[in-house]
Amino acid sequence: MPAMAGEARVEDYLALLKPRVMSLVVFTALVGMLVAPIGVNPVIGLIAIVCIAIGGGASGALNMWYDADIDAVMSRTQNRPIPSGRVTRGEALAFGLTLSAFSVTLLGLATNWVAGGLLAFTIFFYAVIYTIWLKRSTPQNIVIGGAAGAFPTMIGWAAVTGAISWESLSLFLIVFLWTPPHFWALALYKQGDYAAAGIPMMPNVVGEASTKRQIFVYSVILAVSAFVPIYLGLGGWIYGLVAMGTGIGFVYLAIRLLQAPSNVDMRKAARRLFTFSLSYLFVLFLGLLADNFVTRIEGFWS
């Protein structure tokens, strides 16, 4: 039985922020900040990360505000605060807009307006370009919309350097290319949910076979793109080994999915790839952090 309006608790407003997505935003932004060539004051760095986290959460709240109707018919989203009746759409909208203004303003004042502008654009891109426009209109929704999840690496870098560089763009590229195979793997074993909600996800529009081929192609391109930071001098042999290992793992699971002989096997393979993809970025970027840490230690003692 749905909750009565006005029964919202603190946990419900936290749920509007999409904590799992926020954790990815915070981690990738932190990586962009820590591998930047300029050191950052710890206090300013903490403020920047908090602002990016709040901005990411604001995007989530605005997404849930607009998507309340389709969230109500999808099994994995039916218990979200709005469809369950614990928070009204108006409350979610006001919450998202307030957090957006606060996070962008504070980040701009605390660091620089390049970072603040990027955060504002990211929120706009996710809430308007992806959620309102692309998500319900094209099977390429997650390809183009994936840029919203890739911007935090650039925001973290810009918060330190005040600029956008090829190095930060290489980190953006990795997250951008990771997004389609990650979400299409999910869509393969959640087709019923997306079909019921009328969302044109790739498997529902072009079929499973084409989706599996596209996942494989993106996985190969992703594995190759992970080596771009090395070419730009952002990573060394430690990161290279991690990029090789994780890339091989990703492509291997994509091949297993491509070759899955039956619908049951396909769903199992899609779930395995989706699960692996959740840890892929964390391990890859952790390798980049470790590489930069070792390089700076060696530079200190040389």
Side-chain angles (χ1 to χ4, degrees), residues 212-235:
K212 291 192 293 183
R213 288 193 295 269
Q214 292 190 59
I215 286 175
F216 171 72
V217 171
Y218 268 95
S219 299
V220 172
I221 298 174
L222 170 63
V224 174
S225 74
F227 289 93
V228 175
I230 299 176
Y231 174 76
L232 296 174
L234 198 58

Side-chain angles (χ1 to χ4, degrees), residues 18 21-22 24-26 28-29 52 55-60 63 117-132 134 140-156 171-180 183 281:
K18 292 190 173 182
V21 177
M22 184 194 292
L24 177 63
V25 167
V26 169
T28 55
I52 295 170
S59 299
N63 171 267
L118 277 174
L119 180 58
F121 181 72
T122 300
I123 296 171
F124 170 81
F125 195 97
Y126 187 74
V128 178
I129 302 299
Y130 170 66
T131 301
I132 296 178
L134 295 172
Q140 294 295 320
N141 48 19
I142 206 64
V143 178
I144 305 170
F151 281 124
T153 55
M154 297 175 62
I155 300 173
L171 300 180
F172 169 92
L173 180 65
I174 291 171
V175 182
F176 180 77
L177 292 172
W178 165 86
T179 304
F183 278 102
L281 278 183

Side-chain angles (χ1 to χ4, degrees), residues 33-259:
M33 185 179 297
L34 294 179
V35 301
I38 304 172
V40 60
N41 180 286
V43 175
I44 298 299
L46 178 61
I47 293 174
I49 287 298
V50 169
C51 288
I52 295 170
I54 294 174
S59 299
L62 294 173
N63 171 267
M64 288 197 196
W65 155 72
Y66 191 79
D67 279 351
D69 57 334
I70 59 176
D71 281 349
V73 300
M74 296 177 66
S75 61
R76 70 184 183 89
T77 58
Q78 286 176 342
N79 197 43
R80 283 178 172 175
I82 300 176
S84 65
R86 301 190 303 274
V87 175
T88 68
R89 292 186 71 174
E91 289 169 340
L93 176 61
F95 187 53
L97 291 175
T98 300
L99 292 182
S100 297
F102 173 78
S103 60
V104 169
T105 301
L106 182 57
L107 182 63
L109 292 173
T111 59
N112 56 77
W113 288 106
V114 174
L118 277 174
L119 180 58
F121 181 72
T122 300
I123 296 171
F124 170 81
F125 195 97
Y126 187 74
V128 178
I129 302 299
Y130 170 66
T131 301
I132 296 178
W133 177 30
L134 295 172
K135 186 172 182 177
R136 307 187 191 205
S137 63
T138 172
Q140 294 295 320
N141 48 19
I142 206 64
V143 178
I144 305 170
F151 281 124
T153 55
M154 297 175 62
I155 300 173
W157 181 282
V160 177
T161 66
I164 297 171
S165 69
W166 288 111
E167 290 87 349
S168 65
L169 285 170
S170 73
L171 300 180
F172 169 92
L173 180 65
I174 291 171
V175 182
F176 180 77
L177 292 172
W178 165 86
T179 304
H182 168 73
F183 278 102
W184 286 339
L186 172 66
L188 278 171
Y189 68 87
K190 286 288 186 180
Q191 292 181 58
D193 268 5
Y194 289 111
I199 302 175
M201 289 298 283
M202 193 65 69
N204 303 85
V205 177
V206 303
E208 295 173 358
S210 178
T211 301
K212 291 192 293 183
R213 288 193 295 269
Q214 292 190 59
I215 286 175
F216 171 72
V217 171
Y218 268 95
S219 299
V220 172
I221 298 174
L222 170 63
V224 174
S225 74
F227 289 93
V228 175
I230 299 176
Y231 174 76
L232 296 174
L234 198 58
W237 67 269
I238 296 176
Y239 171 73
L241 289 176
V242 174
M244 181 180 297
T246 54
I248 290 173
F250 210 115
V251 173
Y252 170 75
L253 290 176
I255 292 174
R256 291 291 301 271
L257 174 60
L258 188 64
Q259 297 176 337

Side-chain angles (χ1 to χ4, degrees), residues 237-301:
W237 67 269
I238 296 176
Y239 171 73
L241 289 176
V242 174
M244 181 180 297
T246 54
I248 290 173
F250 210 115
V251 173
Y252 170 75
L253 290 176
I255 292 174
R256 291 291 301 271
L257 174 60
L258 188 64
Q259 297 176 337
S262 68
N263 187 57
V264 173
D265 291 332
M266 182 277 293
R267 291 180 184 277
K268 289 181 179 178
R271 186 180 290 273
R272 281 196 294 267
L273 178 58
F274 176 75
T275 302
F276 178 84
S277 70
L278 290 172
S279 60
Y280 172 83
L281 278 183
F282 176 75
V283 174
L284 182 69
F285 282 165
L286 199 61
L288 184 61
L289 288 176
D291 198 311
N292 274 260
F293 177 75
V294 170
T295 299
R296 293 180 184 186
I297 291 296
E298 290 176 345
F300 176 79
W301 289 107

